[in-house]
Amino acid sequence: MNEIKNASETFLQDVINGLTQNPKSLSSKYFYDAAGDKLFQKIMGLSEYYLTRKEFEIFENQHAAIFGKILRYSQDFNLVELGAGDGMKTKILLRYLRSKPEINFTYFPVDISGSVLQELKDNLESELPEIDVHPIQNTYRNAMKERVWENGKPSLILFLGSNIGNFSLNESKDVLLHVAQGTQTHDWLLLGVDLKKDPSIILQAYNDKQGVTRDFNLNLLKRINRELDANFDLEQFTHWPMYDPLTGECRSYLISQKEQLVTIGAANKLIRFEAFEPIFTEISRKFSESEISQLASECGFKVVDFFTDSENYFTDVLWQRI
Ligand code: AVI
């Protein structure tokens, strides 16, 4: 009960802080309620949203090459996944590892959502029952600080799906520094990163024709209405994604279509919007290979190999802790 109360108090606090700042902002971490999870599943199946498809392709075609590098060092390790979600892509890797009797590993999926972890555990128990699964409900940074898996064995950390792109550059460095601090020399990180490419391809991925990404963005206001007793009129806000090829930032906004007042009942607060005032809601950063190499060396890793799809849209880059 206390946990629920604290989570909703933090949500309220973050919403009020974000909407009383100039420019206004809301954190994309609040996209993922039950409706947001469903919309994100739908996004992953969209033709415009190439990221999931490309990472699948990399894992299907190159899992043996990826693990070849790692298994040469050790066949007994901890497999830790930050932001495991439904684990769909990871299952390709898990199936491969299970098919090799000489490999001994325990899977530690880390996610902030207890229900997502339970679903993943149930699913793996029925589909891959031989795998030893230890779910960890925590934030990435706290999980890397606590390292409940620590047992002297080497670790391979999976941080897939371009989740690193949803942080500002400073925050992403901070998360990767936590990974560095929570690993030993020679440990591994497999990082899924969306690459810089033709800007129109990137923009379409965040502005699909069916409007699923629009609904995903607007769902944040729906959630605030429901959980914080607010009265956002969803018809009066539009989804506005934009991509800057210089920084690699795809940023999403919600634009107020008119001057309006919105009540956040849970805080007894009125928020004033000017006509066409934006709320910044999400960053999805894209990187070049040289930026990824620079990030690796700034965070205490060396790049071992880039595994990319046939069109060079996406990479799973293998780093090793130095
Ligand atoms: C979860 N994350 C990597 C997605 C992305 O591409 O930034 C979230 C997303 N936002 C809009 N579409 C998908």
Side-chain angles (χ1 to χ4, degrees):
M1 182 65 195
N2 253 347
E3 216 173 82
I4 294 168
K5 195 164 170 243
N6 288 342
S8 64
E9 272 171 10
T10 310
F11 181 34
L12 176 62
Q13 198 59 60
D14 286 351
V15 166
I16 297 298
N17 286 346
L19 295 181
T20 50
Q21 268 167 25
N22 189 14
K24 292 181 170 59
S25 67
L26 290 168
S27 169
S28 63
K29 71 180 176 204
Y30 294 118
F31 280 160
Y32 302 92
D33 63 352
D37 283 345
K38 278 211 186 91
L39 286 164
F40 184 53
Q41 292 283 343
K42 213 166 161 189
I43 287 174
M44 289 193 288
L46 291 170
S47 57
E48 294 97 332
Y49 195 75
Y50 56 85
L51 289 79
T52 312
R53 206 168 51 245
K54 294 298 184 186
E55 195 167 44
F56 247 98
E57 180 194 317
I58 295 168
F59 286 172
E60 288 209 319
N61 297 337
Q62 302 183 69
H63 55 259
I66 296 171
F67 280 112
K69 305 264 178 196
I70 298 164
L71 298 173
R72 225 172 287 146
Y73 277 75
S74 174
Q75 307 214 321
D76 193 359
F77 57 91
N78 303 313
L79 183 66
V80 179
E81 180 166 15
L82 302 179
D86 67 2
M88 274 299 283
K89 282 165 298 193
T90 318
K91 271 193 234 163
I92 303 175
L93 306 180
L94 294 176
R95 273 198 199 97
Y96 174 72
L97 293 174
R98 186 205 48 176
S99 73
K100 303 248 161 209
E102 66 279 16
I103 296 172
N104 184 21
F105 73 101
T106 304
Y107 177 47
F108 297 89
V110 177
D111 207 289
I112 193 64
S113 161
S115 60
V116 160
L117 285 174
Q118 191 55 49
E119 223 170 279
L120 176 61
K121 190 168 177 1
D122 293 346
N123 182 282
L124 290 175
E125 265 165 17
S126 70
E127 278 190 37
L128 295 164
E130 312 84 346
I131 292 179
D132 197 7
V133 184
H134 286 250
I136 300 169
Q137 188 180 358
N138 213 336
T139 62
Y140 305 150
R141 283 177 255 219
N142 285 341
M144 288 313 303
K145 271 189 206 151
E146 291 170 17
R147 300 187 290 284
V148 296
W149 53 85
E150 210 162 64
N151 51 7
K153 293 181 188 176
S155 294
L156 163 60
I157 314 290
L158 303 175
F159 194 13
L160 308 176
S162 182
N163 285 337
I164 192 68
N166 294 135
F167 294 99
S168 72
L169 203 52
N170 279 342
E171 271 178 335
S172 61
K173 276 184 202 158
D174 184 59
V175 171
L176 293 167
L177 284 169
H178 275 77
V179 175
Q181 278 155 17
T183 46
Q184 304 164 20
T185 307
H186 303 316
D187 278 353
W188 308 88
L189 171 66
L190 186 66
L191 186 65
V193 186
D194 195 15
L195 292 169
K196 285 182 171 170
K197 62 183 70 57
D198 183 337
S200 67
I201 293 169
I202 293 174
L203 198 53
Q204 280 170 45
Y206 295 87
N207 205 16
D208 64 279
K209 284 211 187 74
Q210 282 182 55
V212 185
T213 313
R214 173 200 63 212
D215 294 349
F216 181 63
N217 200 5
L218 281 167
N219 180 56
L220 195 46
L221 303 187
K222 242 193 203 173
R223 180 175 184 183
I224 295 171
N225 281 350
R226 193 183 57 248
E227 292 185 24
L228 304 179
D229 188 24
N231 65 351
F232 279 101
D233 178 354
L234 269 59
E235 300 282 306
Q236 298 304 332
F237 288 85
T238 51
H239 169 60
W240 185 259
M242 53 176 291
Y243 176 65
D244 178 353
L246 197 64
T247 59
E249 288 178 358
C250 189
R251 291 173 151 257
S252 290
Y253 297 90
L254 289 166
I255 313 286
S256 173
Q257 289 303 295
K258 60 174 190 183
E259 187 184 335
Q260 54 185 320
L261 285 173
V262 174
T263 307
I264 313 286
N268 206 7
K269 190 115 193 144
L270 269 182
I271 307 289
R272 183 175 173 278
F273 287 88
E274 287 175 10
F276 307 111
E277 185 176 353
I279 311 173
F280 166 57
T281 55
E282 185 182 42
I283 182 168
S284 298
R285 185 184 295 276
K286 318 300 167 191
F287 295 80
S288 66
E289 288 197 353
S290 61
E291 287 166 338
I292 295 171
S293 300
Q294 196 188 330
L295 197 57
S297 68
E298 283 170 2
C299 297
F301 290 88
K302 69 171 184 196
V303 174
V304 176
D305 213 345
F306 287 98
F307 299 92
T308 48
D309 63 275
S310 53
E311 290 180 292
N312 272 323
Y313 279 14
F314 197 93
T315 187
D316 284 286
V317 56
L318 186 62
W319 289 5
Q320 192 171 29
R321 178 87 151 67
I322 44 181

